[in-house]
Amino acid sequence: MNRATTSDVIVVGGGIGGLGAALGLSRQGLHVTVYESSPEFGEVGAGLQIAPNGTRVLDQYGLLDEVRRHGVSPDAMVMLDAIEGTELTRLDLRDLEHRYGYPYLVTHRSDLHGALLRACQDAEVKLLTDHKVTEYENIPGGARVHFESGSTASADIVIAADGLHSTARRQFVGDRTVNSAYVAYRGAVPIEQARDNHIFEDSVVVYVGPRCHFVQYPLRGGEMFNQVAVFESPKALAGMEDWGTPDELDHAFDGTCQAVQDGLPLMWRDRRWRMYDRDPIRNWVYGNVVLLGDAAHPPLQYIAQGAIMALEDGWVLAEHVSLQQRSRHRPGAGVDWREVTRAYNEVRPAHCERVQLTSRKWGRLWHHDGAQREQRNLLLRARDTYDYTYTDWLYGPTALTTDQEPRIYPSIALGAESMRSASR
């Protein structure tokens, strides 16, 4: 058995969360190695929304200006009824930036990933591809990862940022993914192809409809236009293995307004993303192995926090390393990882549980039909544009300790179902 050179930190997974954690910890003077299972580093997908709690982290990493240059700063977020095409509510994103001190951006996933990758390279993070981890092992004073090749590598701490189907999650928790029965189709095209389709070129727009929704926003300085079509699959509900198929896409948006109908032909039909999450867990630390990002808290995407939570995870770990070193007046000294991971494990799981459960409830809110849809529309139309009751708990500064975690928003009853977000 060959054993690779020992690092201070091993990060398993070279996605947005893994690279963000590697960058944050390398900025604390730690030697970090990232192992990616794929042949190269990259991100699959199209658009990504980054709320102020995410752009705040990017600013602290010195990446905000670069990400802003490649993205778009929309003027507003607008929610419309997918059947009628009428506006339900909106957020003024310019005022939102003033309130929280950081912008709301939309960008291509690969642009954000590329910025993090270049920053890691500049920080001399060791970046290795074609390394598939098959097992995690705690050893005296650290942890070891075992690769499919038969080799191993060890470090003081191992961060498992290995995604929704995490090997570490399977090994230490053993739970299953939760199938929402919803599927997403995406499409990003030159904006000229969409200009005649009743689009908003300066806003993030979501049309909410019975068992479906449709998202649109510009990308890459307004040169591209991103769309996401999401719907509940009857085949999934029937227990069929092949579900979320293009024929279901063709029928899922029957009866929706003209703007949605115009956008559907631009969707990529050769790829689809089935929507899974997991039930929240309150422990992410297993000896010297730490879960991060989707390995710890894969959400449904309804409040656009998946990538942001992963960035926040790495930032919180790095900040607790920094706080520990400053408190001991020993910059660059060895890290007491037990103390750091204890602090991380106290604050992050509780926050991310709120986000995961709120995402589920928000998804149900979007997809109501009948009387509940009518009640929802009345409530949303009554909301003041500048009411931040439902964003303050999420978009403010990332908490480092539980006492910094803000109170969640109040409950509103909608028919027989509570819209309360479960904060445990």
Side-chain angles (χ1 to χ4, degrees):
M1 299 283 283
N2 298 318
R3 192 172 77 79
T5 303
T6 300
S7 304
D8 294 326
V9 181
I10 284 173
V11 178
V12 179
I16 287 170
L19 292 182
L23 177 60
L25 291 166
S26 70
R27 287 163 56 89
Q28 304 304 322
L30 299 172
H31 298 289
V32 183
T33 300
V34 178
Y35 291 101
E36 166 59 36
S37 62
S38 300
E40 60 185 17
F41 287 92
E43 272 287 323
V44 178
L48 180 70
Q49 300 180 51
I50 315 177
N53 56 319
T55 53
R56 184 181 293 107
V57 173
L58 294 177
D59 184 53
Q60 296 200 20
Y61 287 166
L63 297 178
L64 180 56
D65 289 342
E66 179 181 354
V67 174
R68 193 199 296 258
R69 280 196 308 272
H70 292 291
V72 173
S73 300
D75 290 338
M77 181 182 296
V78 185
M79 181 175 285
L80 303 100
D81 184 277
I83 304 299
E84 301 171 357
T86 53
E87 182 172 325
L88 300 177
T89 191
R90 67 169 53 214
L91 283 171
D92 181 332
L93 296 181
R94 302 302 179 190
D95 188 71
L96 185 112
E97 179 175 354
H98 176 74
R99 182 176 184 85
Y100 299 114
Y102 291 90
Y104 196 110
L105 301 180
V106 290
T107 189
H108 200 288
R109 293 188 72 92
S110 63
D111 291 339
L112 174 59
H113 186 270
L116 290 165
L117 183 63
R118 288 186 292 275
C120 283
Q121 291 167 337
D122 291 344
E124 299 185 350
V125 172
K126 192 173 183 180
L127 300 163
L128 300 176
T129 57
D130 278 320
H131 280 74
K132 180 176 176 56
V133 172
T134 57
E135 183 183 353
Y136 295 77
E137 178 188 6
N138 279 292
I139 59 176
R144 178 183 293 136
V145 290
H146 296 252
F147 300 109
E148 193 172 55
S149 64
S151 62
T152 65
S154 60
D156 297 335
I157 196 79
V158 171
I159 297 172
D162 50 352
L164 172 67
H165 301 291
S166 164
T167 297
R169 178 87 175 227
R170 182 171 64 248
Q171 178 178 335
F172 293 110
V173 183
D175 61 341
R176 296 179 179 272
T177 56
V178 178
N179 185 357
S180 73
Y182 278 78
V183 62
Y185 281 73
R186 306 180 192 276
V189 298
I191 200 164
E192 289 79 10
Q193 295 185 25
R195 279 214 164 98
D196 295 334
N197 290 354
H198 306 88
I199 65 171
F200 294 68
E201 294 193 35
D202 58 357
S203 299
V204 176
V205 173
V206 55
Y207 293 87
V208 294
R211 295 169 296 283
C212 67
H213 72 269
F214 198 68
V215 180
Q216 297 177 315
Y217 52 83
L219 288 175
R220 290 186 170 157
E223 296 179 357
M224 295 185 70
F225 195 65
N226 185 62
Q227 298 188 125
V228 187
V230 177
F231 61 89
E232 186 180 56
S233 164
K235 292 181 181 179
L237 295 175
M240 298 175 65
E241 186 173 335
D242 187 24
W243 59 273
T245 50
D247 62 297
E248 291 190 298
L249 171 66
D250 291 336
H251 297 291
F253 293 88
D254 288 348
T256 56
C257 66
Q258 191 62 47
V260 174
Q261 296 297 320
D262 289 342
L264 288 170
L266 299 178
M267 308 309 299
W268 300 328
R269 297 173 65 88
D270 60 336
R271 283 169 282 179
R272 62 187 187 267
W273 286 261
R274 293 171 174 174
M275 293 174 56
Y276 294 86
D277 66 355
R278 290 182 187 266
D279 291 330
I281 55 173
R282 282 297 186 96
N283 179 41
W284 298 355
V285 177
Y286 302 89
N288 294 307
V289 178
V290 179
L291 302 183
L292 181 144
D294 279 358
H297 49 73
L300 300 178
Q301 83 274 38
Y302 298 107
I303 55 176
Q305 284 285 306
I308 297 172
M309 285 193 291
L311 285 173
E312 288 180 308
D313 290 346
W315 180 82
V316 168
L317 275 173
E319 282 298 296
H320 278 293
V321 170
S322 176
L323 288 170
Q324 181 186 101
Q325 292 184 343
R326 291 202 303 270
S327 69
R328 297 176 178 182
H329 307 290
R330 297 169 58 201
V335 176
D336 180 347
W337 284 108
R338 180 173 295 183
E339 180 182 309
V340 168
T341 58
R342 178 196 55 77
Y344 170 78
N345 206 37
E346 282 183 356
V347 68
R348 292 304 295 161
H351 172 82
C352 294
E353 178 177 302
R354 286 178 164 190
V355 177
Q356 287 181 277
L357 296 179
T358 299
S359 294
R360 288 178 176 179
K361 289 175 180 291
W362 201 239
R364 291 197 287 273
L365 175 70
W366 284 16
H367 298 140
H368 280 316
D369 198 359
Q372 287 188 322
R373 168 178 165 257
E374 294 176 7
Q375 290 177 311
R376 176 203 65 197
N377 288 0
L378 286 171
L379 285 169
L380 290 174
R381 288 188 174 115
R383 175 190 163 270
D384 186 273
T385 297
Y386 301 99
D387 178 2
Y388 295 106
T389 302
Y390 297 93
T391 56
D392 280 345
W393 74 279
L394 191 57
Y395 292 168
T398 303
L400 287 173
T401 57
T402 54
D403 62 298
Q404 294 176 359
E405 186 71 25
R407 294 173 60 186
I408 204 164
Y409 56 79
S411 304
I412 298 178
L414 186 64
E417 178 182 324
S418 171
M419 292 163 56
R420 180 177 64 253
S421 174
S423 59
R424 298 179 181 173

